[in-house]
Amino acid sequence: MSKSKLGDQLTFPGTSLTVHRMGYGAMRLAGPGIYGPPKDPDAAVAVLREAVAAGVNHIDTADFYGPHITNQIIRKALHPYPPGLVIVTKLGARRPPDKSWQPANSREELIAGVHDNLRNLGVDTLDIVNLRMVGPGHGLEVGSIAEQLTALADLRRKGLIRHLGLSNVTAAQVAEAQAITDVVCVQNYYNVAHRDDDALVDDLARQGIPYVPFFPLGGFSPLQSSTLSAVARRLEATPMQVALAWLLQRSPNILLIPGTSSLAHLRENLAAAQLTLSPPTLAELDGIAAPRRFV
Ligand SMILES: NC(=O)c1ccc[n+]([C@@H]2O[C@H](COP(=O)([O-])OP(=O)(O)OC[C@H]3O[C@@H](n4cnc5c(N)ncnc54)[C@H](OP(=O)(O)O)[C@@H]3O)[C@@H](O)[C@H]2O)c1
């Protein structure tokens, strides 16, 4: 592992793909409500170019952001892609004109989704595709994911996908998936205030599989906490930087993909990789999460 201003590097298991622990999530580059074009497309291009110039080599996206818009902006900003850049995309959702988020998990929809990603990103093979299950809200849909994952594993055998990951899944679904194919990462909802996946983070760490929290800053409900603010004041950092630093120290298998459409926020977020939290500060921040209820 080499340490840089964007943190250590991690290799997705069983792959030649190595990324800094601090990456970038591109969802916010689409228009309001992650639908349609952004107000300022040049600003979106500038954010991506600055991220990569700063050393980011892990970008998270989906062709259903926009739809198509985010991938088209990534292509415009970065194609031909620099060596070493890993673009992780997702399949499993669609955005009808009413702007809702609907499942798109049939074999035909998954095949069409792969081709949408290839075309809009301008590549012959997708580095990593996460099968994104769509449950109620951002909640988890229980049940088997074997059919969907088998369809994606077929596309992988055809060479359209290099590696597979999972998103918005339960521990049982991860185990089911691992009996079908290698799983190189898991992307679920997790941050300093929302820690339902604590056990899964630790289990994946034991297996050497990266855990990639989405909504690391709270997503559509930005993190707000007096503890976060107090720690940030003490460290002369921002609350969002503290939230990202907490995630980096939470477990060595966590890769970050904070999302932003703003250059100022991008710079702030990347700088969080250099913030170190002491054990007493980590303990203080651990108190932010609502206590888990065990049944
Ligand atoms: N697998 C999934 O189901 C799933 C679901 C959601 C997201 N994702 C992925 O995860 C990535 C991260 O999630 P996210 O973008 O939804 O949420 P997030 O990273 O938790 O937060 C992004 C929000 O915080 C704001 N923000 C960013 N940096 C900030 C800063 N330093 N100070 C104050 N506000 C800041 C952004 O606004 P500005 O644009 O104004 O900075 C945006 O509104 C996405 O980009 C996407 O790639 C995956």
Side-chain angles (χ1 to χ4, degrees), residues 25 27-28 60 132 167 187 215 217 219 259-261 265 268-269:
M27 182 175 92
R28 304 281 162 181
D60 185 79
R132 202 288 186 196
S167 178
Q187 185 178 124
F215 294 164
L217 302 174
T260 181
S261 55
H265 286 164
E268 185 180 319
N269 297 344

Side-chain angles (χ1 to χ4, degrees), residues 43 48 54 56 79 92-94 99 104 124 173 185 187 201 229 266:
L48 281 165
V56 166
H79 196 281
R94 65 185 174 87
K99 305 186 182 178
D124 297 328
Q173 288 168 333
C185 54
Q187 185 178 124
V201 170
S229 299
L266 174 73

Side-chain angles (χ1 to χ4, degrees), residues 219-236:
F220 295 101
S221 312
L223 291 172
Q224 280 185 311
S225 143
S226 52
T227 306
L228 209 50
S229 299
V231 169
R233 268 195 305 277
R234 227 167 51 221
L235 299 180
E236 298 182 350

